[in-house]
Amino acid sequence: MTKRTDTIRLGAFLMATGHHVAAWRHPRAAKDAGVDIEHYVSLAQKAEAAKFDMMFLADSQGGFVDRDDPESIARMAGVAGFEPITLLSAIAARTQRIGLVATATTTYYPPFLLARLFASLDTVSGGRAAWNLVTSAAAGEAQNFGLEQHPEPEVRYARAAEFAAVVKGLWESWEDDAFPRDRDSGLFADPSKLHILGHKGAHLSVAGPLNVPRSPQGHPVVVQAGSSEPGRELAAATAEVVFTAHQTLASAADFYADVKGRMARHGRRPETLKIMPGVMAVVGDSERHAREKYEELQALVHPEIGKRFLARLFEDDRLLEHDENQPLPEWVQVDGRKSRPALLLDMARREDLTARELHLRVTGARGHWTIFGDAGQIADQLESWFDGHGADGFNVMPPHLPDHLDDFIAEVLPELRRRGRFRTDYEGTTLRENLGLPFPEHPARRAAALAEAAE
Amino acid sequence: MTKRTDTIRLGAFLMATGHHVAAWRHPRAAKDAGVDIEHYVSLAQKAEAAKFDMMFLADSQGGFVDRDDPESIARMAGVAGFEPITLLSAIAARTQRIGLVATATTTYYPPFLLARLFASLDTVSGGRAAWNLVTSAAAGEAQNFGLEQHPEPEVRYARAAEFAAVVKGLWESWEDDAFPRDRDSGLFADPSKLHILGHKGAHLSVAGPLNVPRSPQGHPVVVQAGSSEPGRELAAATAEVVFTAHQTLASAADFYADVKGRMARHGRRPETLKIMPGVMAVVGDSERHAREKYEELQALVHPEIGKRFLARLFEDDRLLEHDENQPLPEWVQVDGRKSRPALLLDMARREDLTARELHLRVTGARGHWTIFGDAGQIADQLESWFDGHGADGFNVMPPHLPDHLDDFIAEVLPELRRRGRFRTDYEGTTLRENLGLPFPEHPARRAAALAEAAE
């Protein structure tokens, strides 16, 4: 495997008490972390001191509640907490260099509002904002926004593509030098550098212009998290960073080659998109020690969480009454067209797992790549994905916060630096500069440059 | 006039380079103030050091652009700048006690999003957020949100009343103690303290619950700025602070008595609503000196601003060509049903004003109460409105920033303090405590208390 000459990009994917479903029950967890601004500021400042490219926040517009079964949320720490754009704006004021990535849905946001919030966050932070475009995984969001049903994926992705174009159009309302603010002539804005979008499309109608000037990064970095077919196509067309989930290098490398391979058709160079799979890395003095740390969390997963997970997975409420320390009952069946339940059932039968052993494989890390080891072993695995063209970097998902972020910073980063794989200081002042992404030239200027070149 | 025993509430109504239309042309203005986070943080910190109850930001969703006439915006500094919720979230992180009031429209926001952003801002700031409910004055916002036309006032106010109820309902999704976060039992949330809104109304359909816990103030303070008939009724029903514009104490006192008089019908006590008219106070060594300061700004108003203002006011484009140093032409006529143009035309004829003299009366201060004097004279005028029951306090609108805020803090506040009219330190840690507003008990707890009392 040839060693790459660029360096690994790192995001810190932060989530209250951590990514593991039982992290909030850990004795060292700050139980109210989801509404504690100082907790988040402290994590962001640590990640910044460690030179992470960015911190990342997931989001849902309140869709994860089963309104018919309030009990189902009683054990989930993610049910309520900060809204990410307000949280990142506050963090922006107490950090200087780290990138700030918020997730926001194209299915339920009005595009004018979204474009405005992110352009303003980019300005508040001096060029460190990124928008993680999602189409919403939680069907329950629909009823919070006046709809009966969550639209089907095809509809969501068609709207998302149009939405992304509208948001970029709004971000291009003003050229970079549209505001001469000339006291003598009294000219604040130059109307010839104003571009009114006037979009009327299948899903959206938005006139513009945006009432925020072009932001420090030209526009916020566009991130995307979907890995479905339409998600890949949209990423190839518009994303600058892609978050994704893979369990093996083979799967990650396939995805990497596929998405980067689609970019040429959109007139884009592959290096203008950074692919960053999620990784739950647990560091210890040895692999065994790391696994023991993880088992501490696994032991805290409440049986009810597992039962409900399995009952939903296999669509059979009898599993709510099943003893989790026994194997799955013989009567559990799956619809062969659904690949995930079939895969898990097959694994359970083959490895003779108890119900608890089965659900712990999934509920804890939520399907992300989970690796264990001492610093050298973790670094080896990250390097193998990086050099194997499965990743340009990683979105680091600490199972438990702050401890596992601290461990990663104290143990893994020095090792990556020794190997010349990670920065010792920020390269630039904006997220775009640190990620090595080009500044998006305003289309009017691009057009002018082309006209000049043709003369 | 009886001297009141409570004290004057003060808001700092901040706006980039200041409220005067030509403030950005002042030699001491920071021309890029509208996108300079340090400028706003510095103003907020000054206002906090001076113990202002709150800072206030106006808003528009991009509606002030005449899309057919881009030239019309070339001289207006307000055309593009920060979005207020992101800006206040950032300011929250660098202040400790001052209240943070953002304007947001019920006509174009989805209520779930608005409830969530403000609840999160209240949490980020430790209980200092307020929402200024407006229905949007700028008709051009409609086209940024997929509508052809701005809805008529009756429709906007009907939606606003329903919207306010929905937002409050979402803010009551969780009781104050809904999150036991009990490690041993594994119970994070108590489902019996979750209240799912399930609203289906004429304009809105919102299921809830909100995915933000009840915020430090119970809910953000609700502010309102409309003074129309339906605006007054909505304020009496739901507002905790009202911003309003009056030119005379008689008019202010009429409004004050009217709105407070309506509250009993909504089961509310008058002291749970603070009425705060806007005031543009210009302080000098003497009244003459103060007026000279103001004239410096008036002299900077560009003729094009006045011409466009008059052409729109009198609906006659020939005024775009009229010499502003001459009186209004004889041919200017007004439709008698429109009171504002008729009033201004009458004033111009009676006082023999030039076109410039006429428009300067209006364009500079945008119709707000403008007062001039040394510190004693300013304090006298503020006291007379306060004791005369025209105001519980004032929203201070510095014509030019930062100078006129500095003057107000250095000159007027010490005088008000000498007279026992303004605080020397904050009374509490939340905006609600400082304004002297009650904590809104959760309805479930109110119901429980009533049931107990009845036993």
Side-chain angles (χ1 to χ4, degrees), chain B residues 133-214:
Chain B
L133 180 167
V134 297
T135 68
S136 288
E141 296 183 19
Q143 293 85 42
N144 289 335
F145 289 82
L147 297 185
E148 287 294 322
Q149 293 291 332
H150 194 45
E152 292 298 317
E154 311 83 71
V155 177
R156 299 208 310 273
Y157 271 96
R159 180 182 156 101
E162 190 179 334
F163 193 110
V166 165
V167 166
K168 281 200 181 172
L170 289 170
W171 285 338
E172 289 161 352
S173 295
W174 303 93
E175 296 182 38
D176 299 84
D177 55 352
F179 296 94
R181 303 184 182 103
D182 182 50
R183 276 178 191 130
D184 294 338
S185 67
L187 205 74
F188 189 84
D190 178 349
S192 76
K193 298 192 169 172
L194 164 63
H195 302 273
I196 296 176
L197 182 63
H199 174 88
K200 283 186 199 288
H203 299 86
L204 301 165
S205 166
V206 183
L210 195 66
N211 54 350
V212 184
R214 200 152 199 254

